[in-house]
Amino acid sequence: MLSQTTLPIASTTSTVRDPEVRGLLSLTLPGSVTFYPVDSVIYGQGDTAGPLYLVEFGTVRICRMTSDGRRQITSFCYAGDVFGLEDGDEHQSYAESVDGAGIRLLRPTDSAAFAQKLLGLALRRFARVQKHVLLLGRLNANEKMATFLIDLMERQDADGIINLPMQRNDIADYLGLTFETVSRVLRVLKDKQIIRLLSVEKIEVLDTEALAGLCE
Amino acid sequence: MLSQTTLPIASTTSTVRDPEVRGLLSLTLPGSVTFYPVDSVIYGQGDTAGPLYLVEFGTVRICRMTSDGRRQITSFCYAGDVFGLEDGDEHQSYAESVDGAGIRLLRPTDSAAFAQKLLGLALRRFARVQKHVLLLGRLNANEKMATFLIDLMERQDADGIINLPMQRNDIADYLGLTFETVSRVLRVLKDKQIIRLLSVEKIEVLDTEALAGLCE
DNA sequence: CGACCAATTGAATTGATTCAAGGTCCGTGG
DNA sequence: CCACGGACCTTGAATCAATTCAATTGGTCG
C-alpha cells in the first residue's frame, strides 16, 4: 500500500528488554529501524523468507488468505516480538503494519548458537499458536473475546486500561468472528459491568476476575 | 487408560523413510518401540517434557482441554511423524494413542546439530498448525472436511482409498465441529458423488478435483 | 443372541452471520 | 470555524449454519 521510510534517528540500538530477544540480537546483524505506515505490507505471501523482523514499536498482523479472500490473522506482534521465521524459503503468510510500526531487520548469522536461539523462539510461538487453535476450535464468541482481552492485558502489563491498536475487523479476523459480533460481544461485556469502553481503542477492565472466568 | 507394553521384536531399527526424520534419528539415542493400546496416554498435560517421540506405526492425537472438558485436537501424528517437542519443561498438551500405536522414544543428545534439526522440525510443525488456524477460523464445515480428507490423502499417498484410523468424535474435535456434523458432511460429500463410504473407516475418493475445489 | 458403543439421521434450537440502518469520529476544504 | 465526506463502529432484524437433543441403525465382541 504505502511505502515505508527508514528512520534516520535512534536506530542503532534496540530498546527491547526481553532477555530471549536480546540474546537473539547479539547473534544477528541488526539493521536500522524502518517505519511502516498504517496498512503497509512488510512482506507478502510468496516473498523470499530469511531475515527476521523485530517490532520496535507499533503493531503488526500476520495473516493468511483463502483464495476467495477470507482472511485469518494468525497473530499480532507487539513491541519486542520477533516475526518472520518460517519453514522453507517462501513466506506462507504476509505481514502488515497495523498502526504504523517500527521494524528492525535482523540478518541471521549462520551460527549454531543462533539456531539454538531460533529454536526457543519457534517453540514459544508454537505454544502460542496452539492456544489459538483451542480458542478458534472450541470457544464461543464471549470466551474468545475474553481470552483476547486477557492476553492483551498480560502483554501490555496494563493494570486496567487496555489499548486496542487494531480495528474491529482485525480482531474479528483474529478470533474467527465477524466485526459485528466483536462489537456485540464488547457490548455484552460492557452490560455485565466487566469492561468500560473509554473510546473505540481504549478499554477499561473493571472486573478482571470475571473476565478471566469467561476464558475457559 | 490402558498400560503400554514394550515390543520385544524388531525394535532396534526404525523403518521411517523421511530424510529429515532419519537425520534426527542419527543424532539421538533411539530407544525401543513401545506399544500403546487404543486410547492409552503417551504423555499427559503437565508431564515433564524432554524426550521426543517417533510414531513407528499407528496414529497419535495431540490434544488440549478447556477446564470444562471441551477438547481440541491440535494434530494427528502418523507413522514417521515426530511429536513431543514443546516449549518449557512441562507438556501443555497431552498425547494419546488413537488406534494402537508403536512409539519410539528419542533421547536428545545435546548437540548443536541436533538443535538445528529440531528447528527444522519445529518450523514444519509451525507451518502445519498455521494452516490449521486458517481452517478453524475461516472455513465452513464442508471445507474443513474436504481439507482434512485431502490432507489425509497426501499423507497416506493413497490413490483413492483413504483410511480413517480415528473415530468421528476425534475428527470433530480436530476440525472444531461436532461428531454429528462430521457425519452429515460426509453424507453431503457422498450425495455429491465426491466420495464413497466403503466402511466406517474407509473412504473412497471418487472425484479428487471436486474435493480439492471445496478446500479454498 | 444380546449388550454396548459408534455412527447415522431427523427435528428443533441457537449462536453467530448477514443485511441494513444509523451513529461516531476525524480530517479536509470552503 | 463549521460543514461535509468517508471510514469505522454500533445496533437491530432476519437468516442460516451448525449444534443439541432424540431416535434409530450398524457393527463388534463376549
PDB file of all heavy atoms in Angstrom, chain B residues 83-105:
ATOM      1  N   PHE B  83       6.744 -36.221  17.507  1.00  0.00           N
ATOM      2  CA  PHE B  83       5.974 -35.298  18.345  1.00  0.00           C
ATOM      3  C   PHE B  83       6.591 -35.233  19.740  1.00  0.00           C
ATOM      4  O   PHE B  83       7.511 -35.975  20.059  1.00  0.00           O
ATOM      5  CB  PHE B  83       4.502 -35.711  18.407  1.00  0.00           C
ATOM      6  CG  PHE B  83       4.257 -37.029  19.091  1.00  0.00           C
ATOM      7  CD1 PHE B  83       3.912 -37.081  20.444  1.00  0.00           C
ATOM      8  CD2 PHE B  83       4.378 -38.224  18.393  1.00  0.00           C
ATOM      9  CE1 PHE B  83       3.679 -38.294  21.078  1.00  0.00           C
ATOM     10  CE2 PHE B  83       4.155 -39.443  19.018  1.00  0.00           C
ATOM     11  CZ  PHE B  83       3.807 -39.485  20.367  1.00  0.00           C
ATOM     12  N   GLY B  84       6.052 -34.328  20.550  1.00  0.00           N
ATOM     13  CA  GLY B  84       6.529 -34.211  21.920  1.00  0.00           C
ATOM     14  C   GLY B  84       7.403 -33.003  22.148  1.00  0.00           C
ATOM     15  O   GLY B  84       7.786 -32.706  23.275  1.00  0.00           O
ATOM     16  N   LEU B  85       7.737 -32.316  21.058  1.00  0.00           N
ATOM     17  CA  LEU B  85       8.576 -31.125  21.161  1.00  0.00           C
ATOM     18  C   LEU B  85       7.741 -29.986  21.734  1.00  0.00           C
ATOM     19  O   LEU B  85       6.707 -29.636  21.186  1.00  0.00           O
ATOM     20  CB  LEU B  85       9.069 -30.749  19.757  1.00  0.00           C
ATOM     21  CG  LEU B  85      10.148 -29.672  19.661  1.00  0.00           C
ATOM     22  CD1 LEU B  85      11.365 -30.059  20.458  1.00  0.00           C
ATOM     23  CD2 LEU B  85      10.512 -29.420  18.215  1.00  0.00           C
ATOM     24  N   GLU B  86       8.184 -29.409  22.855  1.00  0.00           N
ATOM     25  CA  GLU B  86       7.392 -28.332  23.438  1.00  0.00           C
ATOM     26  C   GLU B  86       8.226 -27.267  24.106  1.00  0.00           C
ATOM     27  O   GLU B  86       9.373 -27.487  24.471  1.00  0.00           O
ATOM     28  CB  GLU B  86       6.387 -28.900  24.448  1.00  0.00           C
ATOM     29  CG  GLU B  86       5.184 -29.506  23.743  1.00  0.00           C
ATOM     30  CD  GLU B  86       3.938 -29.508  24.597  1.00  0.00           C
ATOM     31  OE1 GLU B  86       3.622 -28.475  25.202  1.00  0.00           O
ATOM     32  OE2 GLU B  86       3.290 -30.559  24.634  1.00  0.00           O
ATOM     33  N   ASP B  87       7.617 -26.131  24.256  1.00  0.00           N
ATOM     34  CA  ASP B  87       8.247 -25.009  24.922  1.00  0.00           C
ATOM     35  C   ASP B  87       8.205 -25.264  26.421  1.00  0.00           C
ATOM     36  O   ASP B  87       7.201 -25.708  26.953  1.00  0.00           O
ATOM     37  CB  ASP B  87       7.480 -23.730  24.568  1.00  0.00           C
ATOM     38  CG  ASP B  87       8.191 -22.497  25.072  1.00  0.00           C
ATOM     39  OD1 ASP B  87       9.426 -22.483  25.048  1.00  0.00           O
ATOM     40  OD2 ASP B  87       7.502 -21.561  25.495  1.00  0.00           O
ATOM     41  N   GLY B  88       9.292 -24.965  27.105  1.00  0.00           N
ATOM     42  CA  GLY B  88       9.311 -25.155  28.549  1.00  0.00           C
ATOM     43  C   GLY B  88       9.508 -26.618  28.902  1.00  0.00           C
ATOM     44  O   GLY B  88       9.706 -27.466  28.034  1.00  0.00           O
ATOM     45  N   ASP B  89       9.441 -26.934  30.171  1.00  0.00           N
ATOM     46  CA  ASP B  89       9.744 -28.292  30.602  1.00  0.00           C
ATOM     47  C   ASP B  89       8.498 -29.073  31.015  1.00  0.00           C
ATOM     48  O   ASP B  89       8.588 -30.168  31.558  1.00  0.00           O
ATOM     49  CB  ASP B  89      10.772 -28.282  31.740  1.00  0.00           C
ATOM     50  CG  ASP B  89      10.419 -27.259  32.802  1.00  0.00           C
ATOM     51  OD1 ASP B  89       9.309 -26.702  32.718  1.00  0.00           O
ATOM     52  OD2 ASP B  89      11.237 -27.028  33.696  1.00  0.00           O
ATOM     53  N   GLU B  90       7.344 -28.493  30.745  1.00  0.00           N
ATOM     54  CA  GLU B  90       6.104 -29.217  31.008  1.00  0.00           C
ATOM     55  C   GLU B  90       5.255 -29.295  29.747  1.00  0.00           C
ATOM     56  O   GLU B  90       5.104 -28.307  29.036  1.00  0.00           O
ATOM     57  CB  GLU B  90       5.279 -28.473  32.085  1.00  0.00           C
ATOM     58  CG  GLU B  90       5.529 -28.970  33.482  1.00  0.00           C
ATOM     59  CD  GLU B  90       4.462 -28.444  34.437  1.00  0.00           C
ATOM     60  OE1 GLU B  90       3.424 -27.936  33.975  1.00  0.00           O
ATOM     61  OE2 GLU B  90       4.684 -28.543  35.652  1.00  0.00           O
ATOM     62  N   HIS B  91       4.688 -30.455  29.510  1.00  0.00           N
ATOM     63  CA  HIS B  91       3.801 -30.592  28.357  1.00  0.00           C
ATOM     64  C   HIS B  91       2.536 -29.782  28.570  1.00  0.00           C
ATOM     65  O   HIS B  91       1.882 -29.889  29.603  1.00  0.00           O
ATOM     66  CB  HIS B  91       3.431 -32.062  28.149  1.00  0.00           C
ATOM     67  CG  HIS B  91       4.508 -32.849  27.497  1.00  0.00           C
ATOM     68  ND1 HIS B  91       4.931 -32.606  26.208  1.00  0.00           N
ATOM     69  CD2 HIS B  91       5.266 -33.870  27.942  1.00  0.00           C
ATOM     70  CE1 HIS B  91       5.898 -33.441  25.893  1.00  0.00           C
ATOM     71  NE2 HIS B  91       6.123 -34.238  26.942  1.00  0.00           N
ATOM     72  N   GLN B  92       2.209 -28.986  27.578  1.00  0.00           N
ATOM     73  CA  GLN B  92       0.985 -28.193  27.668  1.00  0.00           C
ATOM     74  C   GLN B  92      -0.153 -28.880  26.927  1.00  0.00           C
ATOM     75  O   GLN B  92      -1.297 -28.443  26.974  1.00  0.00           O
ATOM     76  CB  GLN B  92       1.233 -26.789  27.108  1.00  0.00           C
ATOM     77  CG  GLN B  92       2.107 -25.979  28.067  1.00  0.00           C
ATOM     78  CD  GLN B  92       2.815 -24.846  27.377  1.00  0.00           C
ATOM     79  OE1 GLN B  92       3.066 -24.889  26.174  1.00  0.00           O
ATOM     80  NE2 GLN B  92       3.133 -23.818  28.135  1.00  0.00           N
ATOM     81  N   SER B  93       0.187 -29.944  26.233  1.00  0.00           N
ATOM     82  CA  SER B  93      -0.829 -30.763  25.582  1.00  0.00           C
ATOM     83  C   SER B  93      -0.681 -32.174  26.118  1.00  0.00           C
ATOM     84  O   SER B  93       0.254 -32.460  26.857  1.00  0.00           O
ATOM     85  CB  SER B  93      -0.616 -30.792  24.073  1.00  0.00           C
ATOM     86  OG  SER B  93      -0.332 -29.511  23.579  1.00  0.00           O
ATOM     87  N   TYR B  94      -1.575 -33.047  25.745  1.00  0.00           N
ATOM     88  CA  TYR B  94      -1.370 -34.447  26.075  1.00  0.00           C
ATOM     89  C   TYR B  94      -1.492 -35.273  24.808  1.00  0.00           C
ATOM     90  O   TYR B  94      -2.119 -34.849  23.828  1.00  0.00           O
ATOM     91  CB  TYR B  94      -2.344 -34.922  27.155  1.00  0.00           C
ATOM     92  CG  TYR B  94      -3.806 -34.844  26.816  1.00  0.00           C
ATOM     93  CD1 TYR B  94      -4.487 -35.962  26.316  1.00  0.00           C
ATOM     94  CD2 TYR B  94      -4.525 -33.679  27.003  1.00  0.00           C
ATOM     95  CE1 TYR B  94      -5.831 -35.906  26.021  1.00  0.00           C
ATOM     96  CE2 TYR B  94      -5.872 -33.609  26.702  1.00  0.00           C
ATOM     97  CZ  TYR B  94      -6.524 -34.725  26.208  1.00  0.00           C
ATOM     98  OH  TYR B  94      -7.861 -34.666  25.903  1.00  0.00           O
ATOM     99  N   ALA B  95      -0.857 -36.434  24.821  1.00  0.00           N
ATOM    100  CA  ALA B  95      -0.813 -37.287  23.632  1.00  0.00           C
ATOM    101  C   ALA B  95      -1.410 -38.648  23.962  1.00  0.00           C
ATOM    102  O   ALA B  95      -1.120 -39.217  25.020  1.00  0.00           O
ATOM    103  CB  ALA B  95       0.622 -37.442  23.151  1.00  0.00           C
ATOM    104  N   GLU B  96      -2.243 -39.135  23.069  1.00  0.00           N
ATOM    105  CA  GLU B  96      -2.873 -40.437  23.258  1.00  0.00           C
ATOM    106  C   GLU B  96      -2.785 -41.266  21.989  1.00  0.00           C
ATOM    107  O   GLU B  96      -2.782 -40.722  20.887  1.00  0.00           O
ATOM    108  CB  GLU B  96      -4.359 -40.271  23.635  1.00  0.00           C
ATOM    109  CG  GLU B  96      -4.582 -39.686  25.016  1.00  0.00           C
ATOM    110  CD  GLU B  96      -6.059 -39.400  25.258  1.00  0.00           C
ATOM    111  OE1 GLU B  96      -6.824 -39.293  24.285  1.00  0.00           O
ATOM    112  OE2 GLU B  96      -6.445 -39.276  26.429  1.00  0.00           O
ATOM    113  N   SER B  97      -2.749 -42.543  22.172  1.00  0.00           N
ATOM    114  CA  SER B  97      -2.799 -43.449  21.031  1.00  0.00           C
ATOM    115  C   SER B  97      -4.235 -43.509  20.519  1.00  0.00           C
ATOM    116  O   SER B  97      -5.173 -43.643  21.302  1.00  0.00           O
ATOM    117  CB  SER B  97      -2.336 -44.829  21.460  1.00  0.00           C
ATOM    118  OG  SER B  97      -2.608 -45.768  20.442  1.00  0.00           O
ATOM    119  N   VAL B  98      -4.390 -43.374  19.233  1.00  0.00           N
ATOM    120  CA  VAL B  98      -5.729 -43.400  18.646  1.00  0.00           C
ATOM    121  C   VAL B  98      -6.187 -44.825  18.390  1.00  0.00           C
ATOM    122  O   VAL B  98      -7.316 -45.190  18.690  1.00  0.00           O
ATOM    123  CB  VAL B  98      -5.754 -42.591  17.330  1.00  0.00           C
ATOM    124  CG1 VAL B  98      -7.030 -42.847  16.548  1.00  0.00           C
ATOM    125  CG2 VAL B  98      -5.595 -41.105  17.616  1.00  0.00           C
ATOM    126  N   ASP B  99      -5.290 -45.620  17.858  1.00  0.00           N
ATOM    127  CA  ASP B  99      -5.687 -46.914  17.310  1.00  0.00           C
ATOM    128  C   ASP B  99      -4.694 -48.017  17.642  1.00  0.00           C
ATOM    129  O   ASP B  99      -4.654 -49.040  16.975  1.00  0.00           O
ATOM    130  CB  ASP B  99      -5.814 -46.792  15.800  1.00  0.00           C
ATOM    131  CG  ASP B  99      -4.509 -46.310  15.168  1.00  0.00           C
ATOM    132  OD1 ASP B  99      -3.603 -45.873  15.918  1.00  0.00           O
ATOM    133  OD2 ASP B  99      -4.393 -46.369  13.939  1.00  0.00           O
ATOM    134  N   GLY B 100      -3.915 -47.807  18.687  1.00  0.00           N
ATOM    135  CA  GLY B 100      -2.841 -48.760  18.945  1.00  0.00           C
ATOM    136  C   GLY B 100      -1.647 -48.318  18.136  1.00  0.00           C
ATOM    137  O   GLY B 100      -1.646 -48.438  16.920  1.00  0.00           O
ATOM    138  N   ALA B 101      -0.660 -47.740  18.806  1.00  0.00           N
ATOM    139  CA  ALA B 101       0.445 -47.134  18.075  1.00  0.00           C
ATOM    140  C   ALA B 101       1.768 -47.608  18.652  1.00  0.00           C
ATOM    141  O   ALA B 101       1.897 -47.834  19.851  1.00  0.00           O
ATOM    142  CB  ALA B 101       0.365 -45.616  18.149  1.00  0.00           C
ATOM    143  N   GLY B 102       2.739 -47.763  17.781  1.00  0.00           N
ATOM    144  CA  GLY B 102       4.097 -48.107  18.206  1.00  0.00           C
ATOM    145  C   GLY B 102       4.917 -46.840  18.231  1.00  0.00           C
ATOM    146  O   GLY B 102       5.037 -46.146  17.228  1.00  0.00           O
ATOM    147  N   ILE B 103       5.477 -46.549  19.398  1.00  0.00           N
ATOM    148  CA  ILE B 103       6.183 -45.282  19.588  1.00  0.00           C
ATOM    149  C   ILE B 103       7.617 -45.534  20.011  1.00  0.00           C
ATOM    150  O   ILE B 103       7.868 -46.291  20.941  1.00  0.00           O
ATOM    151  CB  ILE B 103       5.496 -44.448  20.702  1.00  0.00           C
ATOM    152  CG1 ILE B 103       4.000 -44.301  20.434  1.00  0.00           C
ATOM    153  CG2 ILE B 103       6.181 -43.092  20.837  1.00  0.00           C
ATOM    154  CD1 ILE B 103       3.657 -43.500  19.227  1.00  0.00           C
ATOM    155  N   ARG B 104       8.526 -44.881  19.318  1.00  0.00           N
ATOM    156  CA  ARG B 104       9.935 -44.975  19.688  1.00  0.00           C
ATOM    157  C   ARG B 104      10.350 -43.700  20.389  1.00  0.00           C
ATOM    158  O   ARG B 104      10.075 -42.603  19.918  1.00  0.00           O
ATOM    159  CB  ARG B 104      10.793 -45.184  18.443  1.00  0.00           C
ATOM    160  CG  ARG B 104      12.246 -45.486  18.759  1.00  0.00           C
ATOM    161  CD  ARG B 104      13.087 -45.529  17.497  1.00  0.00           C
ATOM    162  NE  ARG B 104      12.672 -46.581  16.580  1.00  0.00           N
ATOM    163  CZ  ARG B 104      13.048 -47.855  16.685  1.00  0.00           C
ATOM    164  NH1 ARG B 104      13.839 -48.224  17.681  1.00  0.00           N
ATOM    165  NH2 ARG B 104      12.649 -48.754  15.809  1.00  0.00           N
ATOM    166  N   LEU B 105      10.982 -43.863  21.531  1.00  0.00           N
ATOM    167  CA  LEU B 105      11.449 -42.710  22.291  1.00  0.00           C
ATOM    168  C   LEU B 105      12.807 -42.262  21.752  1.00  0.00           C
ATOM    169  O   LEU B 105      13.687 -43.087  21.530  1.00  0.00           O
ATOM    170  CB  LEU B 105      11.601 -43.108  23.766  1.00  0.00           C
ATOM    171  CG  LEU B 105      11.194 -42.040  24.760  1.00  0.00           C
ATOM    172  CD1 LEU B 105       9.688 -42.097  24.970  1.00  0.00           C
ATOM    173  CD2 LEU B 105      11.930 -42.223  26.062  1.00  0.00           C
TER     174      LEU B 105
END
